[in-house]
């Protein structure tokens, strides 16, 4: 079956029947046919267990040096974001990386006070969790409103991963709620992500 | 000449003769038959800052267009929430595009009309449900209209604009349900249908067509026609569009060959 596949697919091109394959990334179903939705190299992911082999189309990179992009934050994706401003109800961030893929454009997101951590939600104070300039690993919980994605850091692995102290020194994590300056040892409060 | 004006660059003292050009024939004699379509040249990824771009030329015409696509990118904060991608299209004539007149930078009604038709032709082909809260923006610049100011062939321009932006959208990696290609036909004085006519005719019909799923995304007609005649012309225009699809899909494969599969030569001009 794989031998009959073309090396390159273009949008709309039928690649196989849905009875023998499943539609992987870059393809979609159209009246029992798996059709390509992008231009790219075709490959087949072999069947694992009871599932059928999946036909996928990989997008060509934008230039010879860049990675293939055009990803968007979706619900349940892990993103990296930079805190831009804080107020007692929420921290506003710009998302610059989804999973491992850096984005071409930055998307705005907010971390509301109730989404900062899983326990003692009523005692969370935003300014003891994030400061402008911090780099945060977060989970997208909703596509949000017209301009913001809603993010959450309510997990051990989520939270601040890089921060600078009030005077501008880089800080290292002490525990899940404190970071210390690498130069002076001054301690500041953050919602710290567990180092991986 | 003590009184010569030294502050300005003076002309020669003896005067000059103005250049005299030989006159060009009104319109070149067409060698193509009524069923033929003119060869199209399309090249992708020529505008570096854009996510996807394409450039199009038509053989024997001086029509030149370029399209650049930005997206999917976040919508401006003022835009309302939308679970689908918002597709916008903008057609712009370069100031020097039409021989004889200079076009302004402000969008005129003709450009606005072409833009909205292009938007209709494209948005059905783009898988908008994949990109919530984002926009796909298509910009088409007409570098040369390929006709003079008296007789701008708007059907030819829109056909080329649809073809070039379809390639550019695909080049940007935006998911599409199918490639769109467009074709247009005219009915000459003898009442015969001419595919891809080089001159403006009284009755014309443009169809934007997705060949793989046999779907028409847009129809544009001009002139007085009856029901039967509209169907006939739409059919031939869709068939013409289907023939252009080969060039469109070869053009989008070009970058995949060069950047993903390590190169493949040839594939340029084809009808």
């Amino acid at each position: 079956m794989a031998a009959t596949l073309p090396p390159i697919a273009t949008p709309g091109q039928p690649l196989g029947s849905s009875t023998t394959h499943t539609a992987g990334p870059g393809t979609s179903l159209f009246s029992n046919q798996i059709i390509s939705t992008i231009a790219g190299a075709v490959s087949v992911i072999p069947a694992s267990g009871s599932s059928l082999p999946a036909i996928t189309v990989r997008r060509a990179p934008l230039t010879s040096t860049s990675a293939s992009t055009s990803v968007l934050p979706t619900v349940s994706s892990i993103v990296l974001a930079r805190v831009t401003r804080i107020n007692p109800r929420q921290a506003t961030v710009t998302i610059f990386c989804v999973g491992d893929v850096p984005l071409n454009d930055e998307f705005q997101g907010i971390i509301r006070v109730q989404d900062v951590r899983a326990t003692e939600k009523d005692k969370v104070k935003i300014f003891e969790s994030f400061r402008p300039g911090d780099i945060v690993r977060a989970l997208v919980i909703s596509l949000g409103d017209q301009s913001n994605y809603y993010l959450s850091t309510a997990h051990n692995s989520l939270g601040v991963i890089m921060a600078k102290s009030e005077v501008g020194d880089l800080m290292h994590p002490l525990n899940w709620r404190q970071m210390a300056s690498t130069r002076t040892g001054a301690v500041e409060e953050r919602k710290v992500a567990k180092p991986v | 000449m003590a009184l010569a004006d030294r502050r300005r660059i003076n002309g020669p003292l003896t005067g000059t003769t103005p250049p005299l050009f030989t006159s060009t024939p009104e319109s070149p004699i067409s060698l193509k038959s009524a069923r033929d379509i003119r060869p199209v040249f399309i090249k992708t990824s020529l505008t570096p800052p854009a996510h996807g771009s394409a450039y199009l030329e038509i053989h024997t015409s001086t029509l030149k267009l370029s399209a650049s696509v930005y997206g999917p990118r976040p919508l401006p904060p003022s835009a309302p929430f939308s679970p689908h991608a918002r597709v916008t299209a903008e057609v712009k004539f370069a100031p020097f595009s039409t021989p004889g007149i200079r076009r302004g930078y402000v969008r005129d009604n003709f450009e606005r009309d072409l833009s909205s038709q292009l938007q209709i032709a494209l948005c059905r082909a783009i898988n908008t449900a994949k990109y919530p809260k984002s926009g796909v923006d298509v910009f088409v610049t007409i570098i040369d209209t390929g006709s003079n100011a008296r007789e701008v062939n708007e059907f030819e321009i829109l056909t080329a604009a649809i073809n070039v932006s379809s390639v550019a959208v695909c080049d940007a990696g935006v998911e599409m349900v199918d490639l769109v290609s467009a074709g247009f036909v005219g009915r000459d004085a003898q009442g015969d249908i001419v595919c891809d006519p080089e001159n403006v005719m009284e009755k014309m019909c443009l169809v934007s067509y997705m060949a793989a799923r046999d779907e028409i995304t847009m129809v544009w007609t001009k002139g007085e026609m009856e029901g039967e005649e509209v169907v006939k012309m739409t059919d031939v225009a869709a068939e013409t569009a289907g023939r252009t699809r080969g060039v469109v899909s070869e053009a989008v494969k070009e970058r995949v060959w060069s950047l993903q599969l390590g190169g493949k030569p040839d594939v340029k001009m084809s009808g």
Side-chain angles (χ1 to χ4, degrees), chain A residues 159-175:
Chain A
V160 176
I161 53 172
M162 216 178 98
K164 284 189 171 168
S165 73
E166 226 160 328
V167 292
D169 301 324
L170 209 59
M171 300 202 288
H172 61 260
L174 292 179
N175 53 46

Side-chain angles (χ1 to χ4, degrees), chain B residues 59-80:
Chain B
H59 187 56
T60 71
S61 168
T62 55
L63 181 68
K64 294 179 186 70
L65 297 100
S66 89
S68 37
V69 173
Y70 294 84
R73 61 179 176 183
L75 288 172
S78 55

Side-chain angles (χ1 to χ4, degrees), chain A:
Chain A
M1 188 66 204
T4 62
L5 284 173
I8 290 182
T10 55
Q13 189 175 350
L15 296 172
S17 161
S18 62
T19 53
T20 55
H21 291 82
T22 57
T27 65
S28 72
L29 273 178
F30 175 64
S31 62
N32 296 329
Q33 282 278 313
I34 294 168
I35 61 157
S36 172
T37 55
I38 51 174
V42 183
S43 56
V44 175
I45 298 171
S48 58
S50 59
S51 66
L52 295 165
I55 297 178
T56 65
V57 180
R58 261 180 320 115
R59 179 177 282 123
L62 285 179
T63 62
S64 51
T65 50
S66 73
S68 52
T69 51
S70 128
V71 287
L72 290 179
T74 51
V75 172
S76 83
S77 55
I78 299 284
V79 298
L80 292 183
R82 186 184 303 105
V83 179
T84 50
R85 53 181 185 272
I86 57 171
N87 68 41
R89 280 169 289 109
Q90 66 196 43
T92 309
V93 300
T94 51
I95 302 165
F96 58 87
C97 193
V98 174
D100 302 330
V101 189
L103 298 171
N104 289 328
D105 304 287
E106 292 189 330
F107 293 85
Q108 206 178 100
I110 55 176
I111 306 171
R112 296 172 301 176
V113 68
Q114 64 266 39
D115 298 323
V116 170
R117 63 177 187 230
T119 56
E120 292 190 299
K121 288 183 180 184
D122 53 330
K123 297 202 174 68
V124 176
K125 290 196 172 67
I126 283 287
F127 64 89
E128 288 173 1
S129 310
F130 307 112
R131 290 291 166 90
D134 292 0
I135 307 293
V136 177
R137 189 193 296 129
L139 174 82
V140 180
I141 52 172
S142 157
L143 295 181
D145 56 18
Q146 54 181 6
S147 51
N148 298 306
Y149 287 84
Y150 284 9
L151 311 179
S152 165
T153 55
H155 193 267
N156 283 350
S157 64
L158 305 174
V160 176
I161 53 172
M162 216 178 98
K164 284 189 171 168
S165 73
E166 226 160 328
V167 292
D169 301 324
L170 209 59
M171 300 202 288
H172 61 260
L174 292 179
N175 53 46
W176 71 271
R177 54 192 302 176
Q178 286 180 317
M179 289 180 106
S181 162
T182 46
R183 193 169 62 92
T184 62
V187 173
E188 284 186 25
E189 292 191 313
R190 293 286 195 281
K191 161 63 176 99
V192 185
K194 189 179 178 183
V196 282

Side-chain angles (χ1 to χ4, degrees), chain B residues 213-224:
Chain B
R213 37 173 68 198
D214 194 22
E215 252 179 67
I216 286 174
T217 60
M218 204 242 341
V219 179
W220 186 23
T221 57
K222 183 182 100 167
E224 201 176 308

Side-chain angles (χ1 to χ4, degrees), chain B:
Chain B
M1 288 287 280
L3 289 172
D5 185 355
R6 293 209 198 124
R7 301 202 176 196
R8 273 154 277 273
I9 299 165
N10 295 308
L13 287 173
T14 51
T16 54
T17 46
L20 198 67
F21 298 106
T22 54
S23 61
T24 46
E26 264 300 290
S27 59
I29 301 129
S30 174
L31 293 173
K32 83 180 211 28
S33 78
R35 302 289 298 162
D36 280 348
I37 57 171
R38 288 167 291 172
V40 176
F41 170 85
I42 304 177
K43 179 110 180 112
T44 58
S45 310
L46 289 176
T47 314
H51 296 153
S53 56
Y55 170 80
L56 180 143
E57 276 181 19
I58 294 180
H59 187 56
T60 71
S61 168
T62 55
L63 181 68
K64 294 179 186 70
L65 297 100
S66 89
S68 37
V69 173
Y70 294 84
R73 61 179 176 183
L75 288 172
S78 55
F81 179 86
S82 135
H84 304 285
R86 196 186 65 180
V87 181
T88 61
E90 198 174 311
V91 177
K92 189 87 198 90
F93 287 93
F96 47 82
S97 61
T98 319
I101 57 159
R102 188 177 163 79
R103 286 189 181 268
Y105 289 101
V106 185
R107 266 215 297 180
D108 60 25
N109 281 334
F110 182 43
E111 287 169 336
R112 220 166 278 151
D113 182 32
L114 290 182
S115 304
S116 62
Q117 306 227 48
L118 177 63
Q119 197 268 342
I120 293 165
L122 286 179
C123 72
R124 271 295 286 115
I126 295 173
N127 197 351
T128 50
K130 276 267 176 180
Y131 304 108
K133 290 177 57 165
S134 30
V136 177
D137 303 323
V138 182
F139 298 93
V140 175
T141 307
I142 294 145
I143 302 164
D144 192 329
T145 55
S147 41
N148 55 32
R150 271 178 291 118
E151 208 180 51
V152 171
N153 193 347
E154 67 258 39
F155 280 73
E156 184 183 47
I157 291 168
L158 187 63
T159 302
I162 292 168
N163 287 332
V164 75
S165 35
S166 171
V167 173
V169 169
C170 186
D171 191 54
V174 174
E175 296 211 3
M176 302 170 86
V177 294
D178 195 1
L179 283 172
V180 204
S181 58
F184 73 110
V185 294
R187 182 154 270 204
D188 63 14
Q190 287 80 45
D192 298 325
I193 293 179
V194 182
C195 298
D196 197 18
E198 288 159 306
N199 304 312
V200 178
M201 290 175 178
E202 206 165 300
K203 295 175 183 178
M204 298 224 271
C205 173
L206 183 155
V207 164
S208 149
Y209 181 59
M210 298 196 287
R213 37 173 68 198
D214 194 22
E215 252 179 67
I216 286 174
T217 60
M218 204 242 341
V219 179
W220 186 23
T221 57
K222 183 182 100 167
E224 201 176 308
M225 285 184 236
E226 279 167 24
E228 196 67 9
E229 203 177 359
V230 176
V231 174
K232 184 87 181 64
M233 286 188 63
T234 316
D235 277 350
V236 183
E239 192 236 303
T240 314
R243 282 197 271 160
T244 314
R245 189 191 159 92
V247 194
V248 170
S249 57
E250 278 311 317
V252 300
K253 281 179 185 173
E254 202 179 321
R255 196 172 73 181
V256 185
W257 280 120
S258 64
L259 290 179
Q260 218 170 5
L261 298 174
K264 182 210 179 192
D266 75 68
V267 186
K268 284 289 125 72
M269 281 248 186
S270 56

